[in-house]
């Protein structure tokens, strides 16, 4: 049966989507904190691939069609910030690649939309994270309180690390229900996910304060790598 859902406004054309993509490019370029710079060429190349992907237009028309009665998905600024924060999530997976991260419910909508285009998403992972690498998705099992608590700690960690890179957008990294995280799938050669230029350090460098280090080591199985790809300019 043909879907006859009537959106609150007409779906954007490809041309009408372009301003959101252009705004996201500016946000991604301008939002990075200046206290630290990335010094590894592989990291820089990965971030360039993330920012310049051709997939984002498809993601935008998909989130509109999945949320036809939500005004936010017909607002250029909100759509641009959704894409920008998705880029930041992917970037964190590269820069802080030894650790797992969680997303808010708001941002998960955009990540799901990307995964809907499975061929494009696979190619994106290959370009951004390295040959034959794939960023997996793990939903939260709401029947298990311990899992939800671990996911919440991981989400708090993710927001803390993002705050080292950019000014955190509370519309996408606020106190939402935590529903998913990135996931490393083990294979014969090690891990599917790429680990570029990240060296485990103990104690961590000064990007982490001692209290956070102690809390993470006590409660979560994170490897504290201290953002080895970053340094003060």
């Amino acid at each position: 049966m043909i879907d006859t859902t009537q959106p609150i406004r007409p779906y954007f054309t490809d041309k009408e989507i372009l301003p959101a993509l252009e705004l996201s490019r500016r946000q991604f370029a301008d939002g990075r904190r200046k206290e630290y710079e990335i010094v590894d060429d592989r990291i820089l190349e990965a971030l360039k691939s993330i920012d310049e992907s051709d997939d984002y237009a498809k993601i935008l028309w998909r989130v509109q069609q999945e949320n036809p009665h939500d005004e936010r998905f017909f607002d250029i600024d909100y759509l641009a910030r959704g894409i920008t924060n998705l880029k930041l999530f992917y970037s964190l997976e590269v820069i802080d690649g030894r650790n797992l991260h969680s997303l808010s419910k708001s941002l998960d909508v955009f990540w799901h939309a990307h995964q809907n285009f499975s061929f494009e998403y696979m190619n994106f992972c290959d370009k951004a994270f390295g040959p034959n690498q794939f960023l997996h998705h793990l939903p939260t099992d709401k029947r298990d309180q311990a899992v939800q608590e671990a996911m919440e700690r991981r989400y708090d960690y993710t927001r803390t690390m993002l705050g080292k890179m950019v000014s955190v957008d509370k519309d996408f990294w606020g106190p939402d229900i935590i529903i998913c995280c990135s996931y490393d799938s083990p294979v014969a050669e090690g891990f599917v996910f790429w680990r570029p230029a990240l060296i485990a350090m103990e104690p961590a460098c000064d990007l982490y304060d001692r209290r956070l280090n102690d809390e993470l080591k006590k409660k979560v199985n994170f490897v504290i790598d201290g953002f080895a790809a970053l340094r003060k300019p």
Side-chain angles (χ1 to χ4, degrees):
M1 180 180 294
I2 295 175
D3 187 346
T4 57
T5 301
Q6 293 297 315
I8 55 174
R9 280 192 267 160
Y11 294 127
F12 286 1
T13 64
D14 289 344
K15 184 176 181 180
E16 290 170 329
I17 284 172
L18 288 178
L21 301 179
E22 293 166 358
L23 179 56
S24 175
R25 291 285 295 274
R26 294 196 298 272
Q27 291 170 345
F28 188 73
D30 297 341
R32 188 181 301 163
R33 292 190 183 279
K34 307 304 181 185
E35 300 96 296
Y36 296 90
E37 65 177 348
I38 297 172
V39 296
D40 189 284
D41 289 341
R42 290 173 296 176
I43 299 287
L44 291 170
E45 187 62 30
L47 298 186
K48 185 172 183 288
S49 294
I50 289 169
D51 187 35
E52 296 180 355
S53 171
D54 294 329
D55 295 352
Y56 299 121
K58 291 181 178 180
I59 293 173
L60 289 187
W61 66 250
R62 181 63 178 169
V63 296
Q64 271 199 340
Q65 293 178 23
E66 286 290 294
N67 301 273
H69 300 132
D70 190 329
E71 281 281 359
R72 295 176 301 172
F73 294 95
F74 293 82
D75 178 79
I76 290 292
D77 179 70
Y78 185 82
L79 292 175
R81 288 189 292 122
I83 293 298
T84 300
N85 282 280
L86 183 63
K87 293 177 184 179
L88 291 173
F89 167 65
Y90 291 147
S91 299
L92 191 61
E93 292 290 338
V94 172
I95 294 173
D96 190 37
R98 287 185 178 272
N99 296 317
L100 300 180
H101 307 98
S102 293
L103 289 81
S104 69
K105 186 175 181 180
S106 300
L107 188 54
D108 190 53
V109 173
F110 290 82
W111 191 22
H112 269 282
H114 200 180
Q115 293 164 9
N116 285 168
F117 300 98
S118 58
F119 289 105
E120 288 87 346
Y121 182 69
M122 180 179 68
N123 288 331
F124 171 86
C125 290
D126 189 79
K127 290 179 180 178
F129 306 132
N132 302 314
Q133 309 305 311
F134 194 84
L135 180 60
H136 290 272
H137 175 278
L138 179 67
T140 302
D141 186 349
K142 297 180 181 179
R143 299 170 299 178
D144 191 327
Q145 183 174 347
V147 168
Q148 292 191 70
E149 290 173 352
M151 203 75 76
E152 186 170 17
R153 291 195 298 271
R154 186 173 293 162
Y155 181 62
D156 289 342
Y157 171 84
T158 302
R159 291 197 296 176
T160 299
M161 293 302 101
L162 274 175
K164 305 294 185 182
M165 297 166 52
V166 295
S167 297
V168 176
D169 186 335
K170 289 186 170 54
D171 283 344
F172 291 95
W173 297 100
D176 296 66
I177 298 172
I178 314 309
I179 60 173
C180 66
C181 71
S182 57
Y183 177 63
D184 291 293
S185 177
V187 294
E189 295 78 20
F191 287 94
V192 168
F193 193 67
W194 187 42
R195 306 294 197 190
L198 294 170
I199 303 170
M201 298 172 62
E202 195 61 48
C205 75
D206 62 1
L207 276 173
Y208 302 82
D209 61 49
R210 183 177 298 277
R211 180 180 175 186
L212 176 61
N213 285 344
D214 292 341
E215 191 71 5
L216 290 173
K217 286 186 289 185
K218 181 172 61 177
K219 292 186 176 181
V220 194
N221 61 340
F222 290 113
V223 176
I224 307 299
D225 61 49
F227 275 32
L230 303 182
R231 68 170 172 81
K232 290 185 178 181

